[in-house]
């Protein structure tokens, strides 16, 4: 999977595509996999790097959503639980089964949440991850050694999925490419083209690396731009009403001592009526999230002071060791592409279901939903797109389609487990050049071979691509990532045949982005 191969596929493509997908997050790449595996001819264009938008900024849960159960949205929960099961089956190297404990400080909490979580188990049916049960105080402390002990009565344990969002996304890009899709990062779509009947028949985009503009024709254009969906909808028809209600959520990352052990904490009711998670992730503790309506989506959102305070204060209620700003290793923000509803007065209450909208000009927009349900969203979207484009009917192939790197016992590979069957190839790079086997920072496990691998085989083009989305350095420890930037730039410059001024520009640009992750 190289960018030059993708640009050649694009240049050599005869006639119109069956489908062009705009947006390279979970939704767009999911659509590209679905369409290509049915045998449609598909091009995906991403303005920045794959996953630069919301899809790198999730809570890293593959879940049915306990909260939606409480809201009575049974069909959404059942669909998501089924998708959780399918993803675990198709990408076992990237999804793991994690225990979550809801700690109880009131007599009614354990029976109440115990019952709700039993329903969660039942809804999962054959896709279940494990049976929930009520825990004694001692069992709770055993699982959560860092929990606040004052007033603790016990808890309830249940099981859900956890993943690494952009590692999965990169493996999905590879899967789509293997199925025949053409996918290009750093290729913003700037306009839509229309035929004589005013029907959309293609896009104008440019290659941000060469500056060359190109026009690509297609039978259907799919808008999978997430929180940015209304921008493209307005390009198609300036009079459309917006459908996205963007809402920001942030996470704070701490060292492992805040959530030691292998169990996550789930707080079902924070003071603003949301759930809060404290999760062990890549040997760190990830705590979040918030739900703050924002006027518009931006590509690099920044955590707001009141959100940071809210997470620190809420975490302090449940953790024996109270986290402070000085303990924060990384603070990252993301924007939910929630679909507007006229009768909802806060974004936490808005539906997490997905929406497919086809406007008068034939632009198909797929938005909303969540990471967990990307496969189902893609199936619905491609069904609609095939009808819209008068394409031959072909059935969905993704229920049992293995994601690139599929491997069942990948934990044996240590921190390289996220590469699945590619881990062996990364190791070969380390063996061939021991300089590439050295850790790039003492606080993070990443080695030089991963930079080389990402640049050669995973379409990483910039230092940020490697530090934020191929490895997760920026999201785990922003200061460490800043320290790693010169070494990453050096290795990438060698691979990409770039000079000193490229390196300097890359480091400057990464520093500018990363400083927002440091408190
Ligand atoms: C704080 C938070 C926590 C979450 N946690 C979870 C969770 O634990 N589990 C879960 O299942 N879901 C979770 N979600 C939801 C999930 O992350 C999103 O639903 C999903 O990532 C949306 O993916 P997307 O592809 O629709 O959008 P995005 O990932 O934003 O992708 C859209 C892409 O379109 C590109 N784009 C925009 N305009 C153009 C253009 N003109 N040309 C080309 N490209 C363009 C953007 O650069 C972007 O990369 C969470 C969301 C948030 C915000």
């Amino acid at each position: 999977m190289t960018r030059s191969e993708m640009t050649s596929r694009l240049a050599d493509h005869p006639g119109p595509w069956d489908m062009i997908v705009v947006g390279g997050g979970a939704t767009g790449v999911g659509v590209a996999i679905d369409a290509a595996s049915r045998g449609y001819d598909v091009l995906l264009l991403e303005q920045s790097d794959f996953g630069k938008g919301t899809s790198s900024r999730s809570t890293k849960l593959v879940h049915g959503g306990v909260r939606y159960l409480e809201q009575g949205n049974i069909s959404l929960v059942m669909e998501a639980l089924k998708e959780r099961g399918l993803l675990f089956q198709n990408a076992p190297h990237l999804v793991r089964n994690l225990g979550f404990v809801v700690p109880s400080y009131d007599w009614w909490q354990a029976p109440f949440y115990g019952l709700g979580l039993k329903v969660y188990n039942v809804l999962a049916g054959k896709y279940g991850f494990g049976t929930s049960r009520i825990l004694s105080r001692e069992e709770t402390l055993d699982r959560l050694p860092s929990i606040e002990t004052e007033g603790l009565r016990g808890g309830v344990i249940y099981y859900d999925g956890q993943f690494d969002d952009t590692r999965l996304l990169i493996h999905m890009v590879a899967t789509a490419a293997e199925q025949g899709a053409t996918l290009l990062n750093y290729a913003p779509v700037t306009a839509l083209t229309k035929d004589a009947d005013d029907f959309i028949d293609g896009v104008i985009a440019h290659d941000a690396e060469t500056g060359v503009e190109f026009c690509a024709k297609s039978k259907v254009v799919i808008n999978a731009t997430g929180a940015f969906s209304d921008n493209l909808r307005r390009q198609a028809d300036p009079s459309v009403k917006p459908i996205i209600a963007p809402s920001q959520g942030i996470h704070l990352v701490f060292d492992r001592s805040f959530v030691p052990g292998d169990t996550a904490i789930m707080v079902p009711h924070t003071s603003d009526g949301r759930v809060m998670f404290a999760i062990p992730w890549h040997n760190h503790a990830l705590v979040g999230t918030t739900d703050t309506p924002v006027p518009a989506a931006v590509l690099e959102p920044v955590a707001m002071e009141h959100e940071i305070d809210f997470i620190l204060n809420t975490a302090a209620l449940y953790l024996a060791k109270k986290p402070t700003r000085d303990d924060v290793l990384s603070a990252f923000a993301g924007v939910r592409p929630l679909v507007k509803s006229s009768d909802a007065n806060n974004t936490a209450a808005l539906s997490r279901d997905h929406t497919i909208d086809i406007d008068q000009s034939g632009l198909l927009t797929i938005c909303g939903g969540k990471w967990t349900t990307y496969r189902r969203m893609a199936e619905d979207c491609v069904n609609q797109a095939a009808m819209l484009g008068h394409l031959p009917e072909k059935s969905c192939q993704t229920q049992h389609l293995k994601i690139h790197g599929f491997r069942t016992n990948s934990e044996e590979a240590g921190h390289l487990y996220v590469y699945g069957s590619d881990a062996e190839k990364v190791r070969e790079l380390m063996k061939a050049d021991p300089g590439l086997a050295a850790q790039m920072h003492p606080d993070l496990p990443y080695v030089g071979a991963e930079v080389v691998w990402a640049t050669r085989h995973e379409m990483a083009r910039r230092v940020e691509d490697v530090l934020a989305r191929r490895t997760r350095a920026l999201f785990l420890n922003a200061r460490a990532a800043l320290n790693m930037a010169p070494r990453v730039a050096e290795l990438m410059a060698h691979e990409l045949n770039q000079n000193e001024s490229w390196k300097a520009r890359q480091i400057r640009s990464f520093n500018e982005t990363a400083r927002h992750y440091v408190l």
Side-chain angles (χ1 to χ4, degrees):
M1 189 172 83
T2 63
R3 197 169 185 280
S4 60
E5 190 199 326
M6 294 299 165
T7 49
S8 313
R9 282 193 198 180
L10 176 63
D12 297 344
H13 190 268
W17 298 82
D18 289 335
M19 298 179 198
I20 291 181
V21 182
V22 187
T27 307
V29 178
V31 171
I33 296 178
D34 188 302
S37 60
R38 291 191 204 203
Y40 296 126
D41 198 14
V42 56
L43 169 67
L44 180 146
L45 299 170
E46 162 57 48
Q47 65 178 349
S48 175
D49 184 27
F50 303 116
K52 168 74 178 179
T54 309
S55 297
S56 54
R57 302 158 188 277
S58 77
T59 311
K60 329 296 178 203
L61 298 180
V62 182
H63 61 161
V66 174
R67 192 162 67 86
Y68 315 129
L69 186 63
E70 210 182 303
Q71 292 170 352
N73 198 341
I74 303 286
S75 62
L76 175 66
V77 176
M78 280 182 78
E79 179 178 291
L81 286 171
K82 178 179 172 193
E83 291 304 320
R84 179 188 74 168
L86 291 177
L87 196 53
F88 190 52
Q89 209 177 77
N90 297 332
H93 52 309
L94 285 157
V95 180
R96 69 176 188 132
N97 188 338
L98 184 66
F100 289 74
V101 169
V102 181
S104 62
Y105 292 90
D106 269 314
W107 66 267
W108 57 270
Q109 284 176 326
F112 179 76
Y113 293 119
L115 191 67
L117 291 164
K118 278 271 173 281
V119 176
Y120 196 63
N121 284 345
V122 171
L123 292 179
K126 67 174 178 170
Y127 298 105
F129 267 39
T131 315
S132 64
R133 68 181 181 91
I134 292 178
L135 301 179
S136 67
R137 186 175 194 276
E138 287 62 41
E139 286 174 313
T140 305
L141 281 169
D142 251 13
R143 295 248 175 201
L144 303 177
S146 62
I147 196 83
E148 173 60 67
T149 51
E150 203 184 317
L152 182 73
R153 286 168 172 265
V156 183
I157 185 161
Y158 73 100
Y159 298 87
D160 237 329
Q162 187 193 33
F163 75 137
D164 179 327
D165 47 19
T166 51
R167 283 303 322 165
L168 175 60
L169 187 71
I170 297 306
H171 289 241
M172 283 166 55
V173 172
T175 309
E178 284 158 8
Q179 295 295 324
T182 300
L183 307 97
L184 207 59
N185 51 0
Y186 295 105
V189 168
T190 49
L192 299 165
T193 61
K194 292 185 177 173
D195 64 14
D197 298 324
D198 227 18
F199 216 69
I200 286 172
D201 67 353
V203 302
I204 309 272
H206 69 268
D207 182 336
E209 298 211 337
T210 58
V212 174
E213 188 174 85
F214 59 91
C215 173
K217 294 289 180 189
S218 181
K219 293 169 191 153
V220 187
V221 174
I222 298 170
N223 175 11
T225 57
F228 302 92
S229 295
D230 286 327
N231 296 351
L232 209 60
R233 290 178 68 244
R234 270 193 293 268
Q235 294 242 17
D237 176 0
S239 68
V240 289
K241 287 211 174 92
I243 55 172
I244 296 290
S247 161
Q248 174 158 307
I250 73 150
H251 294 87
L252 302 182
V253 178
F254 303 94
D255 75 45
R256 193 74 160 83
S257 65
F258 287 92
V259 190
D262 240 348
T263 306
I265 304 171
M266 195 274 227
V267 175
H269 265 288
T270 58
S271 58
D272 72 345
R274 287 189 51 76
V275 298
M276 171 100 84
F277 293 98
I279 305 174
W281 187 60
H282 288 326
N283 211 25
H284 287 69
L286 174 75
V287 183
T289 177
T290 51
D291 205 329
T292 314
V294 286
V298 290
L299 210 46
E300 191 54 71
V302 176
M304 294 176 240
E305 283 303 313
H306 71 87
E307 295 181 292
I308 296 167
D309 289 342
F310 176 77
I311 293 199
L312 288 174
N313 293 338
T314 309
L317 296 175
Y318 294 91
L319 298 176
K321 181 174 156 194
K322 313 299 176 199
T324 67
R325 290 179 77 90
D326 292 345
D327 297 313
V328 176
L329 299 176
S330 177
F332 66 89
V335 181
R336 292 178 190 83
L338 299 182
V339 179
K340 265 190 195 279
S341 144
S342 49
D343 52 1
N345 51 14
N346 71 33
T347 47
L350 286 185
S351 165
R352 266 57 177 172
D353 275 327
H354 62 273
T355 291
I356 292 178
D357 170 84
I358 301 173
D359 74 8
Q360 283 181 6
S361 66
L363 178 69
L364 190 159
T365 298
I366 167 113
C367 54
K370 38 194 210 136
W371 233 120
T372 308
T373 54
Y374 84 82
R375 193 209 63 83
R376 181 58 205 270
M377 291 168 70
E379 182 177 345
D380 290 350
C381 174
V382 175
N383 287 344
Q384 295 286 331
M387 272 195 284
L388 184 66
H390 305 291
L391 298 167
E393 203 178 309
K394 296 177 184 179
S395 61
C396 176
Q397 303 293 319
T398 54
Q399 279 223 11
H400 304 291
L401 182 72
K402 292 185 169 73
I403 298 295
H404 175 91
F406 177 95
R407 191 175 154 187
T408 48
N409 53 349
S410 64
E411 326 70 54
E412 289 165 7
H415 89 275
L416 297 180
Y417 78 90
V418 288
Y419 295 89
S421 57
D422 286 341
E424 206 36 55
K425 297 174 199 152
V426 178
R427 278 206 195 291
E428 276 163 25
L429 290 174
M430 292 158 77
K431 270 188 222 137
D433 178 354
L436 295 178
Q439 244 172 279
M440 292 184 286
H441 191 281
D443 294 342
L444 291 172
Y446 303 119
V447 297
E450 291 172 83
V451 182
V452 172
W453 176 261
T455 315
R456 279 188 201 167
H457 304 291
E458 295 184 340
M459 288 173 75
R461 308 298 297 174
R462 302 184 182 180
V463 164
E464 185 195 315
D465 303 347
V466 168
L467 285 169
R469 291 170 292 274
R470 305 305 184 281
T471 73
R472 306 316 305 273
L474 178 63
F475 287 77
L476 293 170
N477 185 333
R479 282 198 179 82
L482 281 161
N483 279 326
M484 287 158 69
R487 172 73 174 142
V488 172
E490 183 189 302
L491 290 166
M492 289 185 83
H494 184 253
E495 288 300 313
L496 297 170
N497 206 13
Q498 294 285 4
N499 58 18
E500 288 301 317
S501 86
W502 181 89
K503 279 199 252 176
R505 278 200 313 277
Q506 284 297 312
I507 296 168
R508 235 187 354 261
S509 153
F510 179 70
N511 288 357
E512 176 53 34
T513 302
R515 73 188 172 86
H516 298 295
Y517 292 64
V518 178
L519 293 192

